[in-house]
Amino acid sequence: MSRAMTPPDAVTFCADLVRSHDFPRYAATLFAPAAERRALLALYAFNVEIVRVRDQVSQPLPGEIRFQWWTDLFSGLVHGSAEGNPVAAELLRAIRDFDLPVEPLSLLVNEHQFDLYNDPMPTMTALEGYLAATSSALFALAARILGEASDASEHLARHAGLAQGIAQVIANLPRDSAHRQLFLPQQFLTGHGCGIEDVFAGKQTPHLNAVLDQLMDEARQHLATASSLLAQVPPSARAAFLPLSQARSDLDRLSRPGRNPFAPQPASRLRTLWTLWRASRSREFTK
């Protein structure tokens, strides 16, 4: 960037970035107070920047360099150039204003290095580790921004992130398979006799359906656990977990009989808003 953005420009930039690339999380911020909403948008814009790297580079090395810049930022090694990056500037402000730990942010960057390569996800344990450091970490940091940093919120965040993350893995199958990337655990594929090349070829088979059914069962178990833990955090912090309602809706949509797992079927923005608004008024999030 040729010049540093002024704060209002940076705030708008982050909001536009999240609204364009992660609408469910953007919509969830609408239910947070203004100051906290700004910090949430900075956190989610940072996540968008990291997730988009794999689509912006054709080789791993440029992606590694971009990730290293963020790692250096969290280590205090990036100074002047951060001012010209609106996402970095807003994220540093959120870290300062809400006393956010930088270690989970660094771990999130490191975990997304997996995205740059075509190595298969080996096991369910490996996938859970990946999602815990990415999706779950976002829930935990969002809860901190909304004033809740406790063992209960961390436990809730872990299960919330696993439920949401598994749903996203299933939803992203069309894009990932087209890029010959495999986030479905190879352990499950082998167990159900599903060939990796069949997945990359976009073949819908009973074996693949069995893999997806098993993943959905895992996601629903985490979703049920997360829902049971919501009452342990204050109502003011539960807005951080509103995306759980979208994950529940996504799992219902993705498990419809006859659905082609290789056909993209994103939820409409209007339906997403309705899902989150209805959840925000439910006893689960208010009592």
Side-chain angles (χ1 to χ4, degrees):
M1 262 178 213
S2 59
R3 65 177 181 87
M5 284 190 173
T6 60
D9 292 336
V11 173
T12 300
F13 182 92
C14 288
D16 289 346
L17 188 66
V18 181
R19 182 170 57 244
S20 297
H21 297 280
D22 191 352
F23 188 76
R25 285 195 177 97
Y26 170 81
T29 68
L30 300 177
F31 300 91
E36 287 79 0
R37 180 171 186 259
R38 178 176 178 177
L40 288 171
L41 287 169
L43 173 66
Y44 297 154
F46 156 72
N47 183 62
V48 168
E49 288 283 79
I50 299 303
V51 171
R52 291 175 69 209
V53 166
R54 72 165 176 161
D55 294 326
Q56 295 173 330
V57 299
S58 57
Q59 297 294 329
L61 182 57
E64 294 276 9
I65 292 172
R66 294 191 188 194
F67 286 161
Q68 187 62 50
W69 186 89
W70 285 100
T71 300
D72 290 345
L73 176 74
F74 298 134
S75 300
L77 300 178
V78 174
H79 300 288
S81 61
E83 297 176 1
N85 183 313
V87 176
E90 282 294 292
L91 183 60
L92 289 174
R93 181 185 185 278
I95 291 170
R96 181 188 71 244
D97 290 354
F98 294 91
D99 194 26
L100 299 181
V102 297
E103 183 180 5
L105 297 168
S106 294
L107 289 174
L108 184 148
V109 174
N110 290 338
E111 201 67 33
H112 275 293
Q113 290 181 355
F114 177 88
D115 305 359
L116 302 177
Y117 300 89
N118 288 334
D119 299 329
M121 186 67 70
T123 64
M124 188 63 202
T125 299
L127 178 60
E128 288 178 339
Y130 174 90
L131 296 177
T134 55
S135 184
S136 296
L138 289 176
F139 276 114
L141 289 165
R144 280 180 173 266
I145 289 171
L146 291 171
E148 179 61 12
S150 66
D151 290 343
S153 65
E154 291 284 338
H155 190 197
L156 168 56
R158 176 175 175 81
H159 288 285
L162 292 176
Q164 182 192 54
I166 293 171
Q168 289 177 337
V169 165
I170 297 170
N172 290 340
L173 182 60
R175 184 187 70 173
D176 293 337
S177 61
H179 289 88
R180 296 185 65 82
Q181 285 196 308
L182 191 67
F183 286 82
L184 306 179
Q186 193 171 14
Q187 169 192 10
F188 284 8
L189 295 175
T190 301
H192 291 287
C194 182
I196 293 178
E197 289 302 322
D198 285 345
V199 177
F200 291 156
K203 293 182 179 179
Q204 183 179 4
T205 66
H207 304 296
L208 175 61
N209 290 338
V211 171
L212 297 179
D213 286 345
Q214 186 173 0
L215 271 177
M216 288 181 191
D217 286 343
E218 294 276 351
R220 287 196 176 95
Q221 289 177 33
H222 288 297
L223 184 63
T225 301
S227 297
S228 71
L229 294 171
L230 268 174
Q232 297 183 20
V233 300
S236 59
R238 291 180 202 166
F241 299 97
L242 276 174
L244 272 178
S245 62
Q246 183 61 42
R248 181 181 292 111
S249 177
D250 286 343
L251 287 170
D252 290 342
R253 175 172 50 85
L254 294 168
S255 60
R256 288 174 184 163
R259 188 190 77 88
N260 180 357
F262 295 102
Q265 295 179 332
S268 72
R269 291 189 170 189
L270 182 60
R271 179 170 291 278
T272 295
L273 283 169
W274 167 249
T275 298
L276 294 176
W277 176 83
R278 187 173 57 183
S280 73
R281 298 173 64 86
S282 69
R283 292 181 60 86
E284 186 178 33
F285 282 92
T286 58
K287 300 297 183 182

